[in-house]
Amino acid sequence: MLEVRHLAKRFGGLWALRDVSFSVSEGEILGVIGPNGAGKSTLVNLITGHARPTTGQVLIAGQDVTGRRPWVIAHDRVARTFQIVKPFRGLTVRENVAIGAMHGNERDGSVRDALATADELLELVGIAKHAHAAPTQLSVADARRLELAKALASRPRLLLIDEVMAGLRHHEIESAVELIHRLRDSGITIVAVEHVMKAIVSVSDRILVLHHGSILALGSPREVLSDPRVVEAYLGHRYVNRRSE
Ligand SMILES: Nc1ncnc2c1ncn2[C@@H]1O[C@H](COP(=O)(O)OP(=O)(O)OP(=O)(O)O)[C@@H](O)[C@H]1O
Ligand SMILES: [Mg+2]
């Protein structure tokens, strides 16, 4: 579904990403972790066309989409969330999702259909009770749920999520993980960027660890957690010791 080849991005003198290559199979959940500034959001931006790679290629379902504009890539049924949430402030929560449903629709969807889709998605992500609120009234966690509902409204086949679990409480993470699994079961391929190690381990089929813009490790959660380079650079020995207690 997704392949990136030798992807690199330079901002002035800084390589935010360098020589990153990997692929994601249809129906797979790839988790992406790494410390602040590792290049996670940059990777998402390059895939969705929100930034242009300095070098390298992005292929979606075998098609080279490198350098295409974000809306062209979105039209190919690729959706994303933003780490910094971006709702339309003048609209209700429900209308925000309905807009996404209208844009993503190949058919001539009616407003009524779009609102019905919005209601379903608000239910799915767990913020149906805030349907008529303004997005600015939502808690941080609920604003992230709105981001997810907006992204889903376009009926993506590839979904990239940038820290949707940030700010969630312990029990909320469990239901978010369950939701992501359900989305995958409905046929969506998912790339999930997260900071929370516990969340990424339970959500992912494979985990990509970024460090200073390069791939430090890529493998199953078990392989990645026991990789000495990951322990050294990212997890720290305390984390590993805690896990083995
Ligand atoms: N538009 C930009 N212009 C200049 N530098 C940038 C830009 N976007 C990102 N960077 C830099 O590129 C590096 C990677 O940033 P990126 O946002 O991809 O990291 P991240 O892994 O998502 O971090 P975080 O965990 O804090 O979200 C950082 O050093 C960042 O300061
Ligand atoms: Mg980021």
PDB file of all heavy atoms in Angstrom, residues 11 14 16 35-42 83 163 195, ligand 1:
ATOM      1  N   PHE A  11      16.012  20.813   6.015  1.00  0.00           N
ATOM      2  CA  PHE A  11      15.555  22.173   6.320  1.00  0.00           C
ATOM      3  C   PHE A  11      16.801  22.994   6.580  1.00  0.00           C
ATOM      4  O   PHE A  11      17.421  22.850   7.639  1.00  0.00           O
ATOM      5  CB  PHE A  11      14.668  22.197   7.570  1.00  0.00           C
ATOM      6  CG  PHE A  11      13.349  21.499   7.419  1.00  0.00           C
ATOM      7  CD1 PHE A  11      13.079  20.324   8.095  1.00  0.00           C
ATOM      8  CD2 PHE A  11      12.350  22.040   6.602  1.00  0.00           C
ATOM      9  CE1 PHE A  11      11.843  19.693   7.968  1.00  0.00           C
ATOM     10  CE2 PHE A  11      11.112  21.404   6.467  1.00  0.00           C
ATOM     11  CZ  PHE A  11      10.863  20.235   7.154  1.00  0.00           C
ATOM     12  N   LEU A  14      19.769  21.402   8.347  1.00  0.00           N
ATOM     13  CA  LEU A  14      19.370  20.239   9.147  1.00  0.00           C
ATOM     14  C   LEU A  14      18.686  19.171   8.292  1.00  0.00           C
ATOM     15  O   LEU A  14      17.737  19.452   7.573  1.00  0.00           O
ATOM     16  CB  LEU A  14      18.395  20.701  10.236  1.00  0.00           C
ATOM     17  CG  LEU A  14      17.774  19.579  11.066  1.00  0.00           C
ATOM     18  CD1 LEU A  14      18.553  19.377  12.352  1.00  0.00           C
ATOM     19  CD2 LEU A  14      16.318  19.870  11.357  1.00  0.00           C
ATOM     20  N   ALA A  16      16.205  16.630   8.504  1.00  0.00           N
ATOM     21  CA  ALA A  16      15.130  16.163   9.388  1.00  0.00           C
ATOM     22  C   ALA A  16      14.866  14.684   9.155  1.00  0.00           C
ATOM     23  O   ALA A  16      14.373  13.972  10.031  1.00  0.00           O
ATOM     24  CB  ALA A  16      13.859  16.966   9.136  1.00  0.00           C
ATOM     25  N   PRO A  35      12.254   9.952  19.552  1.00  0.00           N
ATOM     26  CA  PRO A  35      12.241  11.123  20.429  1.00  0.00           C
ATOM     27  C   PRO A  35      11.773  12.389  19.710  1.00  0.00           C
ATOM     28  O   PRO A  35      11.675  12.394  18.477  1.00  0.00           O
ATOM     29  CB  PRO A  35      13.703  11.273  20.861  1.00  0.00           C
ATOM     30  CG  PRO A  35      14.455  10.148  20.264  1.00  0.00           C
ATOM     31  CD  PRO A  35      13.587   9.398  19.333  1.00  0.00           C
ATOM     32  N   ASN A  36      11.530  13.441  20.442  1.00  0.00           N
ATOM     33  CA  ASN A  36      11.171  14.735  19.852  1.00  0.00           C
ATOM     34  C   ASN A  36      12.188  15.116  18.796  1.00  0.00           C
ATOM     35  O   ASN A  36      13.387  14.986  19.010  1.00  0.00           O
ATOM     36  CB  ASN A  36      11.199  15.854  20.912  1.00  0.00           C
ATOM     37  CG  ASN A  36      10.040  15.738  21.887  1.00  0.00           C
ATOM     38  OD1 ASN A  36      10.238  15.446  23.050  1.00  0.00           O
ATOM     39  ND2 ASN A  36       8.855  15.926  21.396  1.00  0.00           N
ATOM     40  N   GLY A  37      11.667  15.560  17.653  1.00  0.00           N
ATOM     41  CA  GLY A  37      12.567  16.028  16.607  1.00  0.00           C
ATOM     42  C   GLY A  37      13.187  14.910  15.785  1.00  0.00           C
ATOM     43  O   GLY A  37      14.066  15.150  14.950  1.00  0.00           O
ATOM     44  N   ALA A  38      12.736  13.670  15.989  1.00  0.00           N
ATOM     45  CA  ALA A  38      13.327  12.525  15.275  1.00  0.00           C
ATOM     46  C   ALA A  38      12.969  12.525  13.791  1.00  0.00           C
ATOM     47  O   ALA A  38      13.615  11.852  12.988  1.00  0.00           O
ATOM     48  CB  ALA A  38      12.875  11.220  15.911  1.00  0.00           C
ATOM     49  N   GLY A  39      11.892  13.246  13.424  1.00  0.00           N
ATOM     50  CA  GLY A  39      11.499  13.293  12.021  1.00  0.00           C
ATOM     51  C   GLY A  39      10.164  12.611  11.737  1.00  0.00           C
ATOM     52  O   GLY A  39       9.786  12.437  10.568  1.00  0.00           O
ATOM     53  N   LYS A  40       9.426  12.270  12.775  1.00  0.00           N
ATOM     54  CA  LYS A  40       8.170  11.520  12.608  1.00  0.00           C
ATOM     55  C   LYS A  40       7.125  12.313  11.814  1.00  0.00           C
ATOM     56  O   LYS A  40       6.550  11.817  10.846  1.00  0.00           O
ATOM     57  CB  LYS A  40       7.592  11.134  13.983  1.00  0.00           C
ATOM     58  CG  LYS A  40       8.578  10.360  14.864  1.00  0.00           C
ATOM     59  CD  LYS A  40       7.979   9.982  16.205  1.00  0.00           C
ATOM     60  CE  LYS A  40       7.614  11.148  17.110  1.00  0.00           C
ATOM     61  NZ  LYS A  40       8.760  11.946  17.588  1.00  0.00           N
ATOM     62  N   SER A  41       6.887  13.555  12.247  1.00  0.00           N
ATOM     63  CA  SER A  41       5.884  14.365  11.544  1.00  0.00           C
ATOM     64  C   SER A  41       6.368  14.712  10.136  1.00  0.00           C
ATOM     65  O   SER A  41       5.569  14.763   9.195  1.00  0.00           O
ATOM     66  CB  SER A  41       5.579  15.651  12.318  1.00  0.00           C
ATOM     67  OG  SER A  41       4.987  15.334  13.558  1.00  0.00           O
ATOM     68  N   THR A  42       7.658  14.932  10.001  1.00  0.00           N
ATOM     69  CA  THR A  42       8.208  15.202   8.668  1.00  0.00           C
ATOM     70  C   THR A  42       7.935  14.024   7.742  1.00  0.00           C
ATOM     71  O   THR A  42       7.542  14.211   6.579  1.00  0.00           O
ATOM     72  CB  THR A  42       9.728  15.479   8.766  1.00  0.00           C
ATOM     73  OG1 THR A  42       9.918  16.614   9.618  1.00  0.00           O
ATOM     74  CG2 THR A  42      10.341  15.744   7.400  1.00  0.00           C
ATOM     75  N   GLN A  83      -0.795  16.737  14.032  1.00  0.00           N
ATOM     76  CA  GLN A  83      -0.364  16.762  15.435  1.00  0.00           C
ATOM     77  C   GLN A  83      -0.914  18.021  16.110  1.00  0.00           C
ATOM     78  O   GLN A  83      -1.373  17.981  17.243  1.00  0.00           O
ATOM     79  CB  GLN A  83       1.167  16.738  15.488  1.00  0.00           C
ATOM     80  CG  GLN A  83       1.735  16.641  16.886  1.00  0.00           C
ATOM     81  CD  GLN A  83       3.244  16.441  16.869  1.00  0.00           C
ATOM     82  OE1 GLN A  83       3.890  16.450  15.803  1.00  0.00           O
ATOM     83  NE2 GLN A  83       3.826  16.279  18.030  1.00  0.00           N
ATOM     84  N   GLU A 163       0.123  11.230  16.429  1.00  0.00           N
ATOM     85  CA  GLU A 163      -0.088  11.409  17.866  1.00  0.00           C
ATOM     86  C   GLU A 163      -1.541  11.646  18.240  1.00  0.00           C
ATOM     87  O   GLU A 163      -1.855  12.591  18.955  1.00  0.00           O
ATOM     88  CB  GLU A 163       0.789  12.564  18.382  1.00  0.00           C
ATOM     89  CG  GLU A 163       2.239  12.393  17.972  1.00  0.00           C
ATOM     90  CD  GLU A 163       3.236  12.677  19.085  1.00  0.00           C
ATOM     91  OE1 GLU A 163       2.807  12.943  20.216  1.00  0.00           O
ATOM     92  OE2 GLU A 163       4.435  12.597  18.810  1.00  0.00           O
ATOM     93  N   HIS A 195       4.014   8.867  20.641  1.00  0.00           N
ATOM     94  CA  HIS A 195       5.097   9.043  21.601  1.00  0.00           C
ATOM     95  C   HIS A 195       5.041   7.979  22.691  1.00  0.00           C
ATOM     96  O   HIS A 195       6.040   7.562  23.232  1.00  0.00           O
ATOM     97  CB  HIS A 195       4.929  10.423  22.264  1.00  0.00           C
ATOM     98  CG  HIS A 195       6.129  11.259  22.133  1.00  0.00           C
ATOM     99  ND1 HIS A 195       6.216  12.291  21.237  1.00  0.00           N
ATOM    100  CD2 HIS A 195       7.312  11.204  22.769  1.00  0.00           C
ATOM    101  CE1 HIS A 195       7.400  12.833  21.338  1.00  0.00           C
ATOM    102  NE2 HIS A 195       8.080  12.198  22.255  1.00  0.00           N
TER     103      HIS A 195
HETATM  104  N1  LIG B   1       9.156  23.436   8.563  1.00  0.00           N
HETATM  105  C1  LIG B   1      10.312  23.244   9.194  1.00  0.00           C
HETATM  106  N2  LIG B   1      11.332  24.094   9.064  1.00  0.00           N
HETATM  107  C2  LIG B   1      12.511  23.886   9.697  1.00  0.00           C
HETATM  108  N3  LIG B   1      12.771  22.827  10.471  1.00  0.00           N
HETATM  109  C3  LIG B   1      11.789  21.940  10.647  1.00  0.00           C
HETATM  110  C4  LIG B   1      10.500  22.086  10.023  1.00  0.00           C
HETATM  111  N4  LIG B   1       9.718  21.029  10.368  1.00  0.00           N
HETATM  112  C5  LIG B   1      10.472  20.268  11.177  1.00  0.00           C
HETATM  113  N5  LIG B   1      11.701  20.806  11.339  1.00  0.00           N
HETATM  114  C6  LIG B   1      12.799  20.216  12.124  1.00  0.00           C
HETATM  115  O1  LIG B   1      13.003  18.887  11.661  1.00  0.00           O
HETATM  116  C7  LIG B   1      13.263  18.004  12.748  1.00  0.00           C
HETATM  117  C8  LIG B   1      12.220  16.908  12.747  1.00  0.00           C
HETATM  118  O2  LIG B   1      10.973  17.481  13.122  1.00  0.00           O
HETATM  119  P1  LIG B   1       9.642  16.646  13.222  1.00  0.00           P
HETATM  120  O3  LIG B   1       8.555  17.595  13.516  1.00  0.00           O
HETATM  121  O4  LIG B   1       9.510  15.783  12.026  1.00  0.00           O
HETATM  122  O5  LIG B   1       9.932  15.733  14.491  1.00  0.00           O
HETATM  123  P2  LIG B   1       8.955  14.781  15.306  1.00  0.00           P
HETATM  124  O6  LIG B   1       9.655  13.455  15.390  1.00  0.00           O
HETATM  125  O7  LIG B   1       7.601  14.804  14.745  1.00  0.00           O
HETATM  126  O8  LIG B   1       8.981  15.447  16.761  1.00  0.00           O
HETATM  127  P3  LIG B   1       7.830  15.553  17.872  1.00  0.00           P
HETATM  128  O9  LIG B   1       7.910  14.273  18.654  1.00  0.00           O
HETATM  129  O10 LIG B   1       8.271  16.714  18.712  1.00  0.00           O
HETATM  130  O11 LIG B   1       6.518  15.769  17.208  1.00  0.00           O
HETATM  131  C9  LIG B   1      13.266  18.879  14.008  1.00  0.00           C
HETATM  132  O12 LIG B   1      14.592  19.208  14.294  1.00  0.00           O
HETATM  133  C10 LIG B   1      12.457  20.072  13.599  1.00  0.00           C
HETATM  134  O13 LIG B   1      12.853  21.206  14.328  1.00  0.00           O
END
